[in-house]
Amino acid sequence: MKDSITSRKIAALRPREKRWTVAIGHGLTLRIHPSGAKSWSLRISHGGRVTDLHLGRWPEVSLMQARQMARRERKALGQEPPRGYTLEDVFRLWVGLKKGRIVSYQDERARLERYLIKPLGRRQLDEITAPLVIATVRPLDVAGHSATLKRVLMRARELLDIGVAAGYIEHNPIARVSRVFAAPIVTPMPAVHWSELPKVMQVMAEAPARIRVLFLISALTLLRPKEVAALRKEWIEGDVLSVPHTEMKKRRPHRVPLSPFALGVFAAAQKISEHPRAAHVFPGRRTGSHISSQALAKYMHSTSLAGKLVPHGLRSVGSSWMADHGIVLEVGESCLSHVVGSQVMRAYMRSDYFEARRAAMLAWSDYAEVRAREAGLLDGILEPDAVLAKAA
């Protein structure tokens, strides 16, 4: 039975009149007592003496935990150890814990699989050392991928912490391994001061109509590029745009109050669309798809705005304008769908500041509309009296 022992087979083992044992391998045995209790024992021969070590009872100590304990004891005496837990084993635990619970799960898993599990996944867990991990991820440092390196090391520490908590290993050997590498330099996305918005709009006035509308909706909603690209017409009810949690970065639903001007721009998007029956505000070439989240960035990069402003930077422009025009910090941050306050504060504060955000977004929209008209950004996409008609 020792070659095919499993937890299920252990559970099926029945007591006899006298204690009996099942050999697991490398001196590890499972003792089945007349009372029905099952316990682990490790027989070690060392220095001319044979010793039986009690490793605990099953199921409190699982089959794999018993093997890991036996491995630890035999390694300490320089004897051939049985195979124990591998890095792949704790990775599976990590997957079970994180799937559906962290926003970046897919990306984080892909990074771990590529840079850690593929080269080290079959290694015994107690063979994972700081020098080994450093050597494995060093190519990321050499290539200058410091942000990726930081995240891989962070998740690697999580894996080993889980191994410690599960009783697979006694300590985390890579707890401080990130200190070996220089901290990544964080560079904010390019953005201009809000006072430069008129100049930006003068540049964007030369863009095709669809790009101009995409630019305006990005500025008026303060959503992230990926969120803007995925906008669907059905999310707009009256003067409220409700983006479901599945489309938001932080996986929280977000309501955007729409000004009369913003509603006019959305109407313009429908008017100039090549696929007016499509579900998306900005439909893609393929049926059911939407425009690329990089479409606006690609155009802006081809202009004099390259290196000065990216679509995501419009959020900074709007936020800075609000801060300089008396908008309360919590309201301004909520307009960006940012989490505001401490964890305790958020537990009590259930409001999303919607009414306060309505006033803030209207003020920001009024400013953006005036500057857009002055720059000629609305020519050919919004009639001069369209906003007044919407307001009426």
Side-chain angles (χ1 to χ4, degrees), residues 131-322:
L132 176 61
V133 172
I134 290 170
T136 302
V137 300
R138 178 73 72 182
L140 286 173
D141 185 47
V142 173
H145 302 316
S146 55
T148 300
L149 173 64
K150 177 184 177 181
R151 300 203 69 82
V152 169
L153 290 177
M154 178 184 74
R155 296 304 180 185
R157 290 195 299 271
E158 280 187 2
L159 290 183
L160 275 296
D161 281 341
I162 291 172
V164 173
Y168 295 179
I169 50 176
E170 294 183 314
H171 72 282
N172 186 343
I174 63 169
R176 294 176 176 81
V177 75
S178 59
R179 297 183 181 184
V180 174
F181 303 99
I185 299 174
V186 179
T187 304
M189 292 189 180
V192 299
H193 189 267
W194 61 263
S195 61
E196 297 293 311
L197 189 59
K199 295 180 181 178
V200 171
M201 288 187 167
Q202 288 174 4
V203 174
M204 293 305 299
E206 302 298 321
R210 193 184 194 204
I211 294 296
R212 281 185 280 155
V213 171
L214 181 59
F215 171 85
L216 284 168
I217 288 181
S218 298
L220 294 173
T221 61
L222 298 180
L223 292 170
R224 301 170 182 88
K226 187 175 180 180
E227 296 159 359
V228 173
L231 287 176
R232 300 176 71 92
K233 299 169 186 175
E234 65 197 59
W235 297 346
I236 301 175
E237 293 187 16
D239 62 353
V240 180
L241 168 64
S242 299
V243 185
H245 73 280
T246 53
E247 301 299 329
M248 295 299 296
K249 178 181 178 181
K250 296 299 182 181
R251 294 296 186 266
R252 297 189 309 273
H254 181 57
R255 294 188 296 167
V256 181
L258 299 176
S259 66
F261 177 51
L263 288 171
V265 176
F266 272 101
Q270 171 70 8
K271 182 179 178 181
I272 66 174
S273 175
E274 294 181 357
H275 306 283
R277 295 184 180 180
H280 291 97
V281 175
F282 299 104
R285 293 180 179 178
R286 291 181 289 105
T287 302
S289 68
H290 58 70
I291 195 171
S292 167
S293 60
Q294 297 299 311
L296 181 57
K298 184 178 180 180
Y299 179 83
M300 294 174 72
H301 187 71
S302 69
T303 70
S304 59
L305 298 175
K308 299 176 183 178
L309 178 66
V310 295
H312 199 283
L314 291 172
R315 289 162 54 81
S316 174
V317 174
S319 177
S320 299
W321 184 91
M322 290 182 185

